[in-house]
Amino acid sequence: MSKDLQIIKELYNRFQEFYYEFKDNEVTRLDLHNKGVETKDLELIGELTSLEVLELDSNNITTIQGLDKLTKLRVLALKSNKITTIQGLEKLAKLEVLELSYNYI
């Protein structure tokens, strides 16, 4: 079983239903909007190093941490969370779209 599939199984145990896409045995898209994701969950999500699109709108995220390995990430949606700073995005060089509206920035 691939590392990505193991992570998806662990995320399923925490959040039940959510959307994801696989390509060549790697997760490229993950949508966990409105699932109760917290900052501590970002470490596990950050292990999905092939992610290109990550949607985490309407959760309980307070800081952006643990996503620095997501060097292929092009889209990061973090609307309607509790984020106060954008620190933690410095290594995401391919990031094209960053959605941060309705936070405490």
Side-chain angles (χ1 to χ4, degrees), residues 80-95:
S80 299
N81 278 284
K82 300 172 184 173
I83 297 168
T84 58
T85 178
I86 59 170
Q87 290 178 332
L89 300 174
E90 297 81 10
K91 294 184 179 179
L92 305 182
K94 293 192 177 187
L95 197 61

Side-chain angles (χ1 to χ4, degrees), residues 7 13 24-25 46 57 62-63 67 75 81 84 87-88 94 99:
I7 293 170
N13 288 336
D24 298 326
N25 218 19
D57 297 331
T62 56
T63 59
L67 302 180
V75 176
N81 278 284
T84 58
Q87 290 178 332
K94 293 192 177 187
E99 297 177 355

Side-chain angles (χ1 to χ4, degrees), residues 37-52:
V37 176
E38 298 180 4
T39 300
K40 65 181 180 179
D41 299 313
L42 297 184
E43 292 293 328
L44 180 61
I45 293 167
E47 294 298 319
L48 295 169
T49 56
S50 294
L51 276 178
E52 296 176 14

Side-chain angles (χ1 to χ4, degrees), residues 25-105:
N25 218 19
E26 297 176 319
V27 178
T28 57
R29 181 184 185 118
L30 180 63
D31 183 342
L32 284 167
H33 78 277
N34 200 26
K35 295 293 181 187
V37 176
E38 298 180 4
T39 300
K40 65 181 180 179
D41 299 313
L42 297 184
E43 292 293 328
L44 180 61
I45 293 167
E47 294 298 319
L48 295 169
T49 56
S50 294
L51 276 178
E52 296 176 14
V53 177
L54 179 57
E55 298 179 52
L56 297 169
D57 297 331
S58 302
N59 282 293
N60 298 313
I61 299 168
T62 56
T63 59
I64 306 165
Q65 61 187 37
L67 302 180
D68 54 328
K69 294 179 188 175
L70 302 181
T71 56
K72 296 179 182 179
L73 199 63
R74 294 180 298 105
V75 176
L76 179 58
L78 291 163
K79 295 183 291 190
S80 299
N81 278 284
K82 300 172 184 173
I83 297 168
T84 58
T85 178
I86 59 170
Q87 290 178 332
L89 300 174
E90 297 81 10
K91 294 184 179 179
L92 305 182
K94 293 192 177 187
L95 197 61
E96 298 171 6
V97 176
L98 175 62
E99 297 177 355
L100 286 168
S101 58
Y102 303 103
N103 277 285
Y104 302 117
I105 299 174

